[in-house]
Amino acid sequence: MFCAFYTTKTYLIKDRNSGLVKIGKSSDISKTLLSLSSDNNQLSLLLSIDMDVVNELHLKYADKRRLEDWFELRGSDLLDIYTKYRYGSLR
């Protein structure tokens, strides 16, 4: 019997064209990035966090939301997120 354990992770992906950052969650971030990149090849993974904190981040940065899950985050915002969840991996 095969039993798989999937951990939902939070990711921050940047669109280099618009400068916007997508805050989302996935059990397979590489697959998600590949899927999103099929429509836009200017995407890059900025940060992955080893837990689901999407709702928390969406609430915290609600005033910076521009379109659905896309936010206009500054470098200081990204540093704050990384500092709080430093066990993630910053790219």
Side-chain angles (χ1 to χ4, degrees):
M1 182 173 163
F2 178 74
C3 180
F5 177 74
Y6 296 100
T7 303
T8 300
K9 298 180 180 184
T10 300
Y11 62 80
L12 278 69
I13 293 175
K14 183 170 187 170
D15 180 334
R16 292 187 300 270
N17 287 331
S18 68
L20 297 178
V21 175
K22 180 175 179 60
I23 301 174
K25 64 183 176 180
S26 176
S27 59
D28 187 342
I29 294 174
S30 297
K31 186 175 180 181
T32 300
L33 182 59
L34 198 62
S35 175
L36 291 170
S37 294
S38 67
D39 294 331
N40 180 351
N41 63 359
Q42 294 299 310
L43 300 178
S44 59
L45 180 64
L46 295 178
L47 176 68
S48 65
I49 301 167
D50 294 333
M51 60 190 293
D52 180 356
V53 293
V54 169
N55 291 339
E56 180 180 332
L57 294 177
H58 280 197
L59 287 171
K60 181 173 182 174
Y61 297 105
D63 62 323
K64 298 178 181 224
R65 184 186 300 259
R66 297 300 172 253
L67 179 66
E68 297 176 5
D69 293 341
W70 293 91
F71 296 78
E72 190 173 349
L73 300 179
R74 303 176 83 163
S76 58
D77 299 323
L78 297 171
L79 186 58
D80 288 346
I81 295 168
Y82 176 72
T83 301
K84 184 169 183 178
Y85 305 103
R86 65 181 73 227
Y87 46 83
S89 56
L90 186 63
R91 308 233 170 183

